[in-house]
Amino acid sequence: MRKPKAIIVGGSIAGISCAKALILAGWDVVVIEKTRGPPTGNPTGAGIALNPLSQKMVKSWLHQPDLLHNITLPLTIDQNRAVDQEKNICRILARDENFNCLQAHWTDLHSLIYNTLPPEIFFGVTCTSLSAFLTTNQLSMSKLRILKLMRYTGYCAWMGVFDFSENENSETIQGIRKAYPELGNGVHVDLGPGTHTGDSATMKVSSDMIKKMHQEAEKIWVPEFARVIKETKEPFLNLMYDCDPLTQIYWDNVVLIGDAAHPITPHCARSTNMAIADAAVLGKCLERWGPENLHSALEEHQSVRLPVTTKQVLHSRRVGQIKLGLPTPDREPFDPNTASPEDCEILKQRRLPFFDDVPSILE
């Protein structure tokens, strides 16, 4: 019998994870992406945190599972801290020393998975419509979204990459290591009134905007961190978007995966983990039901993933509102300098619904 075929629109981590999972399930795949090769950008920046389930799935896709550890570092601590520059005080709000994640650069993880795939499955095409690619006997995983479904959160994030590879012992780096002695083995978030740091649509910025941002940084953050911000070249703004959870994620033979199905704010380090879980569950469902029962496979995939992603998107949205001191229906605006320990518990990433959940189909 001929193998069933899936057309995957988008070659990001979600797309190539789907490709790998479906190939292992016995499907032929075609990946539609603007470029056929792996990304060639600077590997610095774009850091992601891989939870234990993502680690398990990626290792199962590799010929040499230890390769994952070659491109990652342990993330053992999840810490949120309040910063009060006026009083020169920093205090820990919430801390988890059993975070149990790995950190990787986006480019490194993408390349690791990409290199396990046959190069001939990639087609360099800019796709704006699915109609040209689907037939009644094919399955498509898509990144395409109707843009009007996207929801602007009401805030944005200054971002940038501080590359110190040429001068690891500079005064700036020594200062930041002194101010954050555990930097490098955890997720460290500093919160000030109405703002926070932390490891979307990009917006160009003017020199005046950057100057104002530098001035605000000096008022809010510890001097060592403010110095890093000032020395970061070409900072940019990201407008933060998510989407109200969908009631379904597949239609006939089209299924949404990753950010196409559930764009999420970055406060819970979840986007890549959700995409990998989507791909892994879909692959197992298709393998279990076979191509002749495609509808049943997609229905099971949806029943497993939709309750999880719905709660995680809404929780991440709520955490963002709390960290920024925005009003929420059930609590007063959060002030990191006066918050009680009970108020701060929600800041822990472990409070995310299904944080340690492993779907039974992946056990």
Side-chain angles (χ1 to χ4, degrees):
M1 294 179 60
R2 293 181 59 184
K3 288 185 178 181
K5 177 175 285 189
I7 298 177
I8 301 170
V9 182
S12 188
I13 288 177
I16 62 174
S17 295
C18 273
K20 187 65 182 181
L22 266 64
I23 288 173
L24 292 175
W27 286 61
D28 282 335
V29 300
V30 173
V31 180
I32 307 297
E33 181 52 80
K34 288 183 292 186
T35 58
R36 296 187 63 178
T40 57
N42 190 333
T44 60
I48 54 179
L50 292 175
N51 66 8
L53 177 59
S54 293
Q55 297 170 37
K56 174 185 174 181
M57 300 321 306
V58 172
K59 285 181 180 180
S60 73
W61 298 338
L62 302 176
H63 303 302
Q64 297 176 272
D66 288 344
L67 289 176
L68 179 63
H69 292 283
N70 294 344
I71 66 161
T72 58
L73 291 172
L75 283 176
T76 58
I77 297 170
D78 170 30
Q79 177 174 290
N80 290 265
R81 201 174 65 157
V83 176
D84 188 336
Q85 269 288 68
E86 291 184 0
K87 297 181 180 179
N88 194 26
I89 295 174
C90 296
R91 72 180 182 100
I92 294 176
L93 301 175
R95 181 178 171 95
D96 179 1
E97 296 186 355
N98 297 294
F99 191 43
N100 199 24
C101 289
L102 294 177
Q103 59 179 321
H105 294 306
W106 187 96
T107 304
D108 290 342
L109 180 63
H110 186 282
S111 296
L112 190 67
I113 302 172
Y114 179 94
N115 289 333
T116 70
L117 298 169
E120 62 271 15
I121 70 173
F122 292 93
F123 283 79
V125 176
T126 299
C127 178
T128 58
S129 171
L130 286 175
S131 60
F133 300 108
L134 294 181
T135 70
T136 56
N137 296 317
Q138 294 174 330
L139 170 68
S140 174
M141 279 70 64
S142 173
K143 284 181 63 178
L144 299 177
R145 290 293 303 237
I146 301 172
L147 292 180
K148 68 179 182 180
L149 295 178
M150 300 296 286
R151 169 190 168 274
Y152 176 49
T153 60
Y155 55 88
C156 56
W158 280 101
M159 305 184 75
V161 177
F162 184 75
D163 186 354
F164 60 93
S165 58
E166 300 294 326
N167 191 0
E168 296 189 17
N169 295 312
S170 68
E171 184 178 340
T172 300
I173 293 303
Q174 290 178 5
I176 201 71
R177 285 174 173 161
K178 182 179 180 180
Y180 300 88
E182 294 177 313
L183 194 66
N185 69 338
V187 178
H188 299 271
V189 179
D190 281 359
L191 289 90
T195 186
H196 69 280
T197 68
D199 293 326
S200 46
T202 302
M203 173 181 169
K204 292 183 178 180
V205 295
S206 67
S207 58
D208 287 342
M209 294 169 68
I210 294 173
K211 182 179 179 180
K212 183 177 179 181
M213 180 266 289
H214 288 165
Q215 293 171 345
E216 290 295 316
E218 290 178 344
K219 295 177 184 177
I220 297 172
W221 306 123
V222 296
E224 295 85 356
F225 184 58
R227 182 170 180 174
V228 169
I229 292 174
K230 292 185 71 173
E231 294 184 14
T232 298
K233 298 178 180 179
E234 300 180 357
F236 57 94
L237 273 176
N238 258 10
L239 305 179
M240 293 298 165
Y241 286 86
D242 65 8
C243 179
D244 289 333
L246 302 177
T247 57
Q248 65 184 95
I249 53 175
Y250 83 94
W251 295 263
D252 296 326
N253 58 341
V254 178
V255 57
L256 298 176
I257 292 293
D259 284 347
H262 38 68
I264 186 171
T265 58
H267 306 287
C268 297
R270 206 42 33 179
S271 178
T272 299
N273 293 303
M274 294 166 80
I276 291 172
D278 286 349
V281 169
L282 180 62
K284 291 298 184 181
C285 290
L286 292 172
E287 183 179 17
R288 171 184 287 180
W289 288 95
E292 65 277 7
N293 296 304
L294 179 60
H295 175 83
S296 296
L298 298 184
E299 187 65 31
E300 182 181 22
H301 168 73
Q302 178 172 275
S303 70
V304 172
R305 293 300 297 152
L306 194 56
V308 175
T309 59
T310 294
K311 289 189 176 182
Q312 290 184 342
V313 166
L314 295 177
H315 180 85
S316 185
R317 178 187 296 181
R318 176 174 165 79
V319 171
Q321 293 169 336
I322 290 171
K323 286 186 174 183
L324 288 163
L326 299 175
T328 58
D330 60 338
R331 63 186 296 163
E332 295 294 320
F334 181 81
D335 183 342
N337 293 319
T338 61
S340 68
E342 292 75 19
D343 289 335
C344 296
E345 274 296 304
I346 195 171
L347 302 178
K348 293 180 179 179
Q349 297 203 34
R350 188 172 295 280
R351 291 294 301 273
L352 178 83
F354 302 99
F355 179 80
D356 286 323
D357 179 67
V358 177
S360 59
I361 198 170
L362 299 181
E363 291 177 345

